[in-house]
Amino acid sequence: MLPTVTLKRGREKPVRLRHPWIFSGAIARSPAVEPGTIVEVRDTQGTFLARGYFNPTSQIRVRLLTWDEAEPIDTAFWRRRLVASCARRGGLAADAGTTAYRLVSAEADLLPGLIVDRYGDWLVVQALTAGIEVRLDELATQLEELLAPRGIYERSDEAVREREGLPLRVGPLAGEPPPAAGVEIRENGLGFFVDLISGHKTGFYLDQRENRELVGTYARGRRVLNCFSYTGGFSVAAAAAGAARVISVDSSEPALQLAERNLALNGLGDRPNDTLLPGNVFEVLRGFRTEERRFDLIVLDPPKFAHSAGQVEAACRGYKDINLLAFQLLEVGGYLATFSCSGLVSADLFQKVVFGAALDAGAEVQILRRLSQTPDHPVLLSFPESAYLKGLLCQKILEV
Ligand code: SAH
């Protein structure tokens, strides 16, 4: 029999609802085992509830893998889950215009703690938990057998690993290391260089793919301001769609250098009115307001502002500030695509903040679309935490 975690009386409900996390506070007795060990979870009567991997260091003591007592967690289990997750991306794999997407999205794909992204011939993996960490070589071997990539690169440098008692680690796991100059991928028919070694996350914000395409459809002939542009995802989409001008603002110089290469890669390198502007968006927007600059399409895609519940209020002040400035810079009839990737800020709360910003900016605003993450970053119903990216496509229809 496997080591057993016994829950406190009355704490089995989330497990029965198939939520994959068991917090330390729900546990009555746990075994003395190494991080990553497979355990069984039972109620006080000893009834089997689920099976998962254990980490005594993490507040999330167990991440559940199966609720089926007859399903062992063995090599065949991991293989089945990997195969199924990759197979769910079949539609994307068949689209020659897009060669970069998420193959495994951790809990939401029933593989807690594991991220696998495909960038052309390379895979990038993140092991976010001890349970994945101890099996990473086995999982990498399986990914090699399944997908035959040119190389697998590890980007286990997310700060959440520290809460699991794991060090940050980056480096090649299998095959060839990716080129330092960047891997060339395609997204919606456009080309991008992605820095797999030191870019953000695993290199590219794959969760915004559909929103970039959507913004492109509004960009023709418009003066576009892309705030928090990173390597130019929205900028390339807007310029390729025939925007009159595109200003990209980011505080990271390497990101803007890559944005420049990405515009050039798509034959958009010599548009005289486009600008790559290094700077702090909060300050740049204030400067533009002083100069009475006007735009027809603004994108606000900031980094995560709220990393813990205690930061939600300050995050909302940040969101309100930039959205207020954006509404002031928008021409009547202009569009704002505004996002939050803070999981702790709900879609409802975000909409309220954007409303407050519009009121204070003297703008009457319509929501044309509610936006979210791409389907290769799915939301598992039993794990609502997997819904993190929310956005609104707004139109300013009056100045009041
Ligand atoms: N929209 C991008 C992703 C944005 S990620 C895309 O489609 O790829 C957030 C970006 O904001 C990062 O590139 C980071 O360098 C930048 N950033 C963070 N804080 C900033 C600030 N105060 N001013 C300007 N850029 C900032």
Side-chain angles (χ1 to χ4, degrees):
M1 213 168 86
L2 290 170
T4 296
V5 166
T6 307
L7 295 189
K8 289 180 183 163
R9 191 176 303 281
R11 300 301 286 269
E12 50 286 273
K13 185 159 178 217
V15 182
R16 293 203 195 280
L17 296 178
R18 302 180 68 89
H19 194 279
W21 291 353
I22 298 181
F23 286 93
S24 57
I27 295 177
R29 274 194 314 280
S30 49
V33 291
E34 291 298 307
T37 303
I38 302 297
V39 295
E40 286 191 349
V41 178
R42 296 178 180 273
D43 67 13
T44 38
Q45 263 89 57
T47 309
F48 175 91
L49 296 170
R51 201 169 277 143
Y53 59 73
F54 184 74
N55 184 352
T57 310
S58 174
Q59 281 312 300
I60 304 173
R61 285 292 149 83
V62 189
R63 299 199 193 224
L64 298 176
L65 298 165
T66 184
W67 285 255
D68 175 0
E69 193 167 7
E71 185 172 43
I73 310 302
D74 53 12
T75 303
F77 167 87
W78 296 104
R79 165 77 63 146
R80 270 195 314 278
R81 289 280 165 98
L82 287 173
V83 167
S85 189
C86 294
R88 287 191 287 271
R89 273 63 176 188
L92 276 166
D95 172 6
T98 294
T99 61
Y101 45 87
R102 182 151 290 189
L103 285 165
V104 176
S105 196
E107 273 78 348
D109 278 304
L110 310 182
L111 284 162
L114 178 66
I115 301 285
V116 183
D117 287 341
R118 177 186 167 206
Y119 290 98
D121 296 334
W122 272 269
L123 299 180
V124 180
V125 306
Q126 288 187 322
L128 302 175
T129 58
I132 294 302
E133 174 93 352
V134 300
R135 319 185 148 72
L136 194 56
D137 288 337
E138 179 193 338
L139 293 168
T141 304
Q142 296 215 20
L143 287 168
E144 275 198 293
E145 289 167 11
L146 285 174
L147 301 160
R150 228 166 121 179
I152 306 181
Y153 198 74
E154 180 179 10
R155 286 294 304 273
S156 295
D157 53 353
E158 289 283 338
V160 290
R161 272 175 65 98
E162 285 160 5
R163 289 189 233 167
E164 289 275 308
L166 301 170
L168 306 189
R169 196 181 50 237
V170 169
L173 264 185
E176 273 177 63
V183 166
E184 192 179 327
I185 59 122
R186 300 198 75 69
E187 177 185 272
N188 304 321
L190 298 168
F192 291 92
F193 291 110
V194 180
D195 178 356
L196 304 186
I197 296 165
S198 49
H200 296 177
K201 305 225 277 185
T202 62
F204 204 58
Y205 290 84
L206 299 169
D207 52 1
Q208 287 283 26
R209 181 176 51 253
E210 292 182 343
N211 297 325
R212 292 190 193 106
E213 188 163 45
L214 177 74
V215 161
T217 66
Y218 286 85
R220 189 169 181 75
R222 299 218 160 88
R223 293 163 295 175
V224 177
L225 175 60
N226 180 14
C227 299
F228 309 97
S229 62
Y230 188 49
T231 57
F234 284 100
S235 307
V236 170
R245 68 177 320 175
V246 180
I247 299 180
S248 310
V249 187
D250 202 281
S251 54
S252 158
E253 295 269 4
L256 287 179
Q257 282 161 15
L258 207 43
E260 187 169 18
R261 288 177 61 207
N262 285 335
L263 285 162
L265 178 65
N266 293 282
L268 303 163
D270 51 4
R271 292 166 34 98
N273 296 325
D274 288 0
T275 317
L276 298 161
L277 198 58
N280 180 340
V281 165
F282 290 82
E283 287 162 17
V284 169
L285 292 178
R286 283 205 163 72
F288 283 174
R289 182 173 62 184
T290 308
E291 295 164 18
E292 298 185 5
R293 299 275 292 266
R294 294 295 224 160
F295 295 91
D296 311 300
L297 171 56
I298 300 178
V299 178
L300 292 177
D301 183 23
K304 196 175 185 177
F305 285 166
H307 296 271
S308 65
Q311 294 175 348
V312 169
E313 225 181 283
C316 288
R317 280 198 297 278
Y319 290 125
K320 177 160 179 197
D321 197 18
I322 52 177
N323 280 278
L324 192 160
L325 289 160
F327 282 130
Q328 289 175 326
L329 296 175
L330 262 194
E331 209 74 82
V332 171
Y335 300 94
L336 170 66
T338 181
F339 298 94
S340 161
C341 60
S342 302
L344 292 160
V345 174
S346 68
D348 273 359
L349 178 55
F350 184 60
Q351 182 174 321
K352 286 195 182 100
V353 170
V354 173
F355 177 40
L359 274 181
D360 288 5
E364 189 85 78
V365 171
Q366 293 174 332
I367 295 175
L368 305 185
R369 284 174 197 268
R370 290 175 199 285
L371 308 174
S372 68
Q373 61 219 49
T374 44
D376 51 330
H377 297 59
V379 179
L380 189 68
L381 268 177
S382 55
F383 185 60
E385 292 87 338
S386 47
Y388 63 95
L389 181 64
K390 68 273 318 173
L392 297 169
L393 178 68
C394 298
Q395 187 169 25
K396 173 168 160 182
I397 58 168
L398 276 182
E399 252 158 33
V400 292

